Amino acid sequence: MTEPLLPDLPPERVPGPAPLADAAALRGAGRTPAVPFRVTLADGRTLVMTRLLRVLPGKRIVGDSLLDGRRVLAKLFVDKDSARRAERERQGIAALAAGGIPTPALVAADALPGGGHLLTTEFLDGATTLLDHWRPLAERPPGDAAALALLAPAFSLLGRLHRAGLAHDDLHFGNFLVHDGRLYLIDGDAVTTANAPLASKPAARDLAMLIAQLPRTWDGALTPLLDAYCDGGASTLDDAVLARALRHERAWRLRDYLAKTGRDCTLFRVRRSLHRFEAVVRSEADALTPLLADPDRWIESGRSLKRGNTCTVARVELGGRQLVVKRYNLKHLGHAISRAWRPTRAWHSWREAHRLSLFGIPTPRPLALIEERWGPLRARAWLVTEYCDGPDMRAHLEPDAAPAPAEAASLKTLFDTLYRERISHGDLKATNLLWDGNKSLLIDLDAARQHATIAGFHRAWRRDRARFLRNWPADSPLHRWLDAMLPGRP
């Protein structure tokens, strides 16, 4: 992740001498060390860090800094392995430069008095990440011309990397920088060297890592990107080798990402106590603070969408933004006891929404989860998501006609992806599919699951398929179109 965590001070606005910090103080500073601060190098020079870009608590701090009056990107390694980590970063940057791979130039590398190490590179003012440019295009159809024009240079650069006998252990869109029309690869710590050109297996692993950043709906549109990779000078990969690497990478990425949704990390802020568990998308934590403090008050003052025995749903407005808060109720003592030892339905919906998002299956963005707890026992729970201001498919689709082209394409992509990934919904009423004007969004994920076995999935899918078709008369044109379109037709 290369986005700034905090809108801190630019170098030209640092107000006077910054407080001095050392490795021990920075290790104990947590996720948000106060800036600006300065550190003294072993050679007596001083670096002033003015803006945080990334913090791995107790390990590494990356930020916009000043060294000898020059603006630099500084990485402070402050844990017990700082010497090894800093040296690996330095060697990786040198290997990239020697291989002709554009990367910000090394400025200085030095030890810090009392422990810790520093490495600085040139600061590319105004640089953006490939991820910044990809986000506005992520929901476009697979193979979209603008998306291909953006992504092809990254695949070509990867081909150049492999031709030089180099591999990269952390290939994601955030590790590509765009500056003055040129693409740079960063994070020397992840670079490893081998014989040139790179062997087939590690090359396939790297390529799979980059492909895995795309929605799986892109699987049929990868040819231009693979061509760009080969045009960069890489050897052509065996399709079977790449397919195995891609399955492995996607499985690992899914496990890693879902694990992060329940622990404190760069992406999520998690707080635990004897009586409460709270997980929130870190970038949303400050904005959601009033709602998280008392979700029931916001539900009562919001617009009611559903008031049932098992759940209460309301639309609320916070900071000019429309959100949905769903509370999972306990009907009676017996219900409370039966649920106490199991993950709450809010927890399940939270994880499944993130799973769907990772697969490129549209669903309102999950923002926060709250659970009442009594030690290991769980009680009520709340889920906060973005609000979709659009009709459900029962109201939107006309029974006497096939869907319009946009709706037809969106529904086909959604159901094909669910089928390919062995995901069943469990309650596939038409009211659980919304239309936002561009795409179909799946909601109410309490019973959604990804199946480990084909047989189990097919049983669940037949129920989902039949339930969705029952929304419209069997002799209607819409029913016939859906029956022909939905995968898994008997």
Side-chain angles (χ1 to χ4, degrees):
M1 183 177 178
T2 56
E3 303 166 69
L5 296 176
L6 297 171
D8 300 319
L9 299 174
E12 62 272 15
R13 292 181 57 195
V14 177
L20 185 65
D22 59 14
L26 295 173
R27 276 197 303 273
R31 194 171 290 277
T32 54
V35 288
F37 65 82
R38 59 192 170 96
V39 294
T40 302
L41 281 62
D43 62 9
R45 291 184 295 169
T46 298
L47 176 132
V48 180
M49 183 167 286
T50 61
R51 183 164 60 104
L52 302 176
L53 298 178
R54 189 182 186 194
V55 177
L56 292 180
K59 295 182 179 180
R60 187 170 74 224
I61 300 171
V62 183
D64 188 353
S65 304
L66 284 173
L67 179 64
D68 296 333
R70 178 181 179 181
R71 193 176 183 186
V72 296
L73 180 80
K75 289 190 175 183
L76 295 171
F77 301 87
V78 298
D79 66 352
K80 61 183 179 60
D81 294 323
S82 64
R84 180 180 61 83
R85 296 180 190 279
E87 178 58 18
R88 182 173 174 179
E89 181 87 24
R90 187 197 65 77
Q91 290 179 359
I93 293 172
L96 291 173
I101 307 302
T103 194
L106 182 66
V107 174
D110 204 350
L112 303 177
H117 287 75
L118 166 75
L119 185 143
T120 64
T121 60
E122 64 176 323
F123 190 91
L124 303 180
D125 194 16
T128 50
T129 69
L130 187 65
L131 181 62
D132 296 327
H133 296 270
W134 165 249
R135 280 176 175 147
L137 305 178
E139 294 183 356
R140 293 196 181 186
D144 174 78
L148 287 173
L150 172 70
L151 297 171
F155 281 79
S156 179
L157 187 57
L158 180 59
R160 291 171 55 187
L161 184 81
H162 289 172
R163 183 183 61 188
L166 302 176
H168 197 291
D169 293 337
D170 193 19
L171 281 169
H172 57 79
F173 293 163
N175 272 339
F176 290 88
L177 295 185
V178 181
H179 183 253
D180 288 344
R182 192 180 188 195
L183 194 63
Y184 293 76
L185 183 61
I186 61 172
D187 197 1
D189 180 69
V191 174
T192 56
T193 59
N195 294 327
L198 195 65
S200 177
K201 189 172 181 179
R205 183 212 60 179
D206 280 10
L207 186 55
M209 208 181 309
L210 196 55
I211 292 172
Q213 308 303 307
L214 300 170
R216 301 193 187 194
T217 51
W218 271 74
D219 282 3
L222 294 175
T223 298
L225 300 178
L226 297 177
D227 289 344
Y229 170 76
C230 294
D231 290 344
S235 301
T236 302
L237 287 174
D238 181 88
D239 289 343
V241 174
L242 179 58
R244 284 196 299 271
L246 189 53
R247 286 195 298 270
H248 180 272
E249 178 61 31
R250 283 174 167 167
W252 177 88
R253 189 167 182 253
L254 177 63
R255 289 193 303 270
D256 179 67
Y257 184 70
L258 292 182
K260 287 178 178 177
T261 64
R263 73 167 188 261
D264 197 66
C265 60
T266 302
L267 295 176
F268 300 96
R269 189 193 73 188
V270 173
R271 293 176 174 174
R272 303 170 186 265
S273 68
L274 182 63
H275 299 300
R276 180 182 170 101
F277 174 90
E278 176 187 296
V280 57
V281 174
R282 186 171 292 279
S283 60
E284 301 282 353
D286 291 341
L288 293 178
T289 295
L291 192 158
L292 298 177
D294 191 356
D296 283 339
R297 181 176 66 82
W298 286 83
I299 288 175
E300 293 305 316
S301 62
R303 178 181 175 183
S304 177
L305 301 179
K306 180 178 181 180
R307 288 191 177 275
N309 288 331
T310 58
C311 69
T312 303
V313 187
R315 187 179 80 186
V316 305
E317 182 175 336
L318 177 61
R321 181 182 182 189
Q322 299 293 316
L323 305 172
V324 171
V325 185
K326 185 174 185 178
R327 183 181 66 221
Y328 293 83
N329 304 318
L330 299 174
K331 295 183 291 184
H332 45 67
L333 180 60
H335 186 221
I337 293 173
S338 72
R339 299 290 322 182
W341 294 100
R342 292 182 285 167
T344 63
R345 287 174 295 152
W347 172 273
H348 186 83
S349 296
W350 167 255
R351 284 175 59 90
E352 293 311 304
H354 284 290
R355 186 194 304 272
L356 295 190
S357 297
L358 195 65
F359 289 155
I361 300 171
T363 189
R365 186 182 177 213
L367 303 176
L369 162 72
I370 304 169
E371 291 182 337
E372 285 180 338
R373 291 192 177 181
W374 300 91
L377 305 180
R378 309 188 191 203
R380 295 187 306 164
W382 296 258
L383 181 70
V384 182
T385 69
E386 291 184 335
Y387 172 72
C388 173
D389 187 17
D392 62 62
M393 285 298 182
R394 183 66 186 268
H396 184 64
L397 298 179
E398 296 293 338
D400 57 357
E407 284 87 334
S410 177
L411 286 169
K412 180 169 176 53
T413 298
L414 185 146
F415 283 109
D416 284 351
T417 307
L418 288 172
Y419 190 81
R420 185 182 65 248
E421 303 303 333
R422 300 180 187 172
I423 296 173
S424 64
H425 182 271
D427 188 21
L428 203 52
K429 298 178 292 190
T431 51
N432 282 333
L433 267 175
L434 306 180
W435 178 251
D436 73 352
N438 297 298
K439 60 185 180 297
S440 308
L441 290 88
L442 198 60
I443 64 169
D444 197 6
L445 306 178
D446 301 16
R449 61 174 296 192
Q450 186 175 31
H451 296 260
T453 67
I454 294 177
F457 167 68
H458 282 165
R459 286 193 297 271
W461 183 257
R462 284 194 295 269
R463 291 192 293 269
D464 271 0
R465 195 180 193 280
R467 179 64 187 90
F468 192 64
L469 289 173
R470 284 203 304 272
N471 287 283
W472 297 278
D475 59 349
S476 67
L478 177 59
H479 187 285
R480 289 196 295 269
W481 182 89
L482 289 168
D483 190 27
M485 179 275 296
L486 286 168
R489 187 177 186 180

